[in-house]
Amino acid sequence: DQQVKQNSPSLSVQEGRISILNCDYTNSMFDYFLWYKKYPAEGPTFLISISSIKDKNEDGRFTVFLNKSAKHLSLHIVPSQPGDSAVYFCAARGGAGGTSYGKLTFGQGTILTVHP
Amino acid sequence: KAGVTQTPRYLIKTRGQQVTLSCSPISGHRSVSWYQQTPGQGLQFLFEYFSETQRNKGNFPGRFSGRQFSNSRSEMNVSTLELGDSALYLCASSLSQVALGTQYFGPGTRLTVL
């Protein structure tokens, strides 16, 4: 039972354009969502997060949108740069009152390639 | 400030053996979590330790165990290794429990079971 899904295994974007990475979840008890970036031979690096009580959070070129009714979140990168090429994971944290309290559940990851 | 360190970085074992992986969290961080990453399953939560106590556990068999020391360093042990245990094992630390804080990951230990 995959509670967090990233349905696009890969995404290819031209430098300077917008990259949109998507993530869907099924557990309504998730209270916090995070995006991580991972380069080969390194551990994931925290990128940006959003609380379930918000619908948007922005940090420089990165914006995360949360649509609770659709159980969907997305990460927008504008403008995309070649250095953004990496694997992006979305993760959801179990909220209080649920069986997954405090646990992070990760999606499968999306490989983003930004072409110069 | 030094990041999360994991040792060893690479390990090759044979079926039936056991293995111990080590993780040193960021200075001041008291929570350490372990994850298994495989191509088919993505990142899966193993367990979390906070103040030397296991606070949370994923859906893994009892062959997977861990502990945390008073200096917050953590070890993970896998006994009776199986081929399917081949994976990248990631350790992550945070100031407080995962429920309250953002995690910072180490580079991982690549375990290959032959």
Side-chain angles (χ1 to χ4, degrees):
Chain A
D1 173 30
Q2 198 152 358
Q3 298 185 58
V4 179
K5 286 184 184 178
Q6 293 176 256
N7 291 315
S8 298
S10 62
L11 175 68
S12 184
V13 170
Q14 206 67 31
E15 181 179 5
R17 300 287 185 103
I18 184 171
S19 293
I20 300 176
L21 297 116
N22 294 304
C23 182
D24 296 299
Y25 62 96
T26 57
N27 189 341
S28 58
M29 295 300 291
F30 289 142
D31 69 344
Y32 209 70
F33 302 89
L34 308 92
W35 284 94
Y36 285 85
K37 179 171 71 173
K38 186 180 185 300
Y39 293 118
E42 295 182 13
T45 303
F46 169 72
L47 205 51
I48 192 169
S49 62
I50 187 168
S51 165
S52 60
I53 63 173
K54 296 188 174 183
D55 54 20
K56 178 182 174 182
N57 188 26
E58 198 170 347
D59 183 2
R61 297 186 297 114
F62 303 91
T63 303
V64 56
F65 295 92
L66 176 63
N67 183 334
K68 281 186 69 177
S69 60
K71 292 191 175 68
H72 176 84
L73 69 154
S74 60
L75 174 68
H76 292 210
I77 306 174
V78 184
S80 301
Q81 299 172 353
D84 295 329
S85 298
V87 180
Y88 288 78
F89 292 96
C90 69
R93 191 181 71 185
T99 56
S100 301
Y101 175 56
K103 295 181 187 177
L104 280 186
T105 302
F106 283 81
Q108 300 286 76
T110 297
I111 301 170
L112 173 66
T113 304
V114 180
H115 299 283
Chain B
K1 195 183 253 191
V4 177
T5 57
Q6 292 186 244
T7 56
R9 291 294 308 277
Y10 302 91
L11 207 48
I12 299 176
K13 292 284 187 179
T14 56
R15 279 184 299 173
Q17 288 187 307
Q18 76 162 20
V19 67
T20 299
L21 312 181
S22 181
C23 171
S24 292
I26 292 172
S27 178
H29 283 196
R30 296 170 60 194
S31 170
V32 173
S33 295
W34 288 89
Y35 295 85
Q36 181 195 65
Q37 185 185 7
T38 57
Q41 299 293 323
L43 273 91
Q44 291 189 289
F45 172 74
L46 280 154
F47 27 66
E48 179 197 4
Y49 285 87
F50 180 78
S51 294
E52 301 177 65
T53 303
Q54 188 180 90
R55 298 300 177 117
N56 231 330
K57 192 176 187 308
N59 297 324
F60 279 81
R63 299 186 296 108
F64 292 81
S65 63
R67 59 177 176 167
Q68 186 180 34
F69 302 94
S70 58
N71 62 358
S72 294
R73 191 177 70 85
S74 176
E75 287 182 349
M76 190 193 94
N77 186 276
V78 188
S79 63
T80 320
L81 284 166
E82 300 176 359
L83 295 178
D85 296 333
S86 294
L88 179 67
Y89 289 88
L90 291 159
C91 159
S93 76
S94 59
L95 273 172
S96 54
Q97 289 180 258
V98 174
L100 304 172
T102 302
Q103 294 182 301
Y104 298 86
F105 283 82
T109 294
R110 172 72 63 183
L111 172 65
T112 302
V113 181
L114 302 176

